[in-house]
Amino acid sequence: MKYENAQNILPEYIVQLIQEYIEGGYLYIPIKYDNKKVWGENTLTKDILKKRNKEIFNKYNEGISIKKLAQNYYLSEHSIRRIIRQQKNI
């Protein structure tokens, strides 16, 4: 999120209208609903986690214990179980 001075981008009459509600403060203007992106869409994080989860599931199927997977991936045993359960449903 980038800070913009309203006086530099908005017509004066709109600035005056906004000043009736808030003056000298910060105002967050959300993006249009149509422009919203899904979590992870701008980065590779979603793909990285999907690959990691498949890897965890494959290692579990090869016989590696939940406890060992939790240690190797720095996750809780509960998280490993959740990942395995989700991967089974795919």
Side-chain angles (χ1 to χ4, degrees):
M1 186 166 51
K2 185 174 135 185
Y3 169 83
E4 295 285 347
N5 188 326
Q7 290 177 324
N8 294 339
I9 59 173
L10 298 174
E12 180 62 28
Y13 74 95
I14 293 178
V15 172
Q16 290 173 359
L17 181 63
I18 293 170
Q19 285 172 331
E20 291 179 24
Y21 298 92
I22 182 172
E23 221 176 337
Y26 295 103
L27 177 67
Y28 172 75
I29 300 174
I31 61 174
K32 294 178 190 173
Y33 182 79
D34 296 342
N35 294 336
K36 286 193 176 185
K37 298 187 180 194
V38 183
W39 178 86
E41 190 174 353
N42 288 338
T43 64
L44 296 175
T45 304
K46 200 172 191 177
D47 293 331
I48 291 168
L49 291 178
K50 187 184 277 189
K51 182 180 175 186
R52 180 205 66 184
N53 292 349
K54 284 181 183 178
E55 192 175 282
I56 288 171
F57 184 66
N58 291 338
K59 288 183 178 185
Y60 173 77
N61 284 334
E62 291 170 3
I64 297 177
S65 71
I66 289 175
K67 186 173 187 167
K68 188 67 176 168
L69 289 168
Q71 291 170 350
N72 290 348
Y73 288 94
Y74 302 100
L75 296 170
S76 69
E77 291 181 26
H78 177 76
S79 293
I80 296 293
R81 285 189 191 90
R82 180 183 41 80
I83 290 168
I84 291 168
R85 191 170 49 252
Q86 288 171 345
Q87 291 296 309
K88 281 181 182 178
N89 293 331
I90 292 178

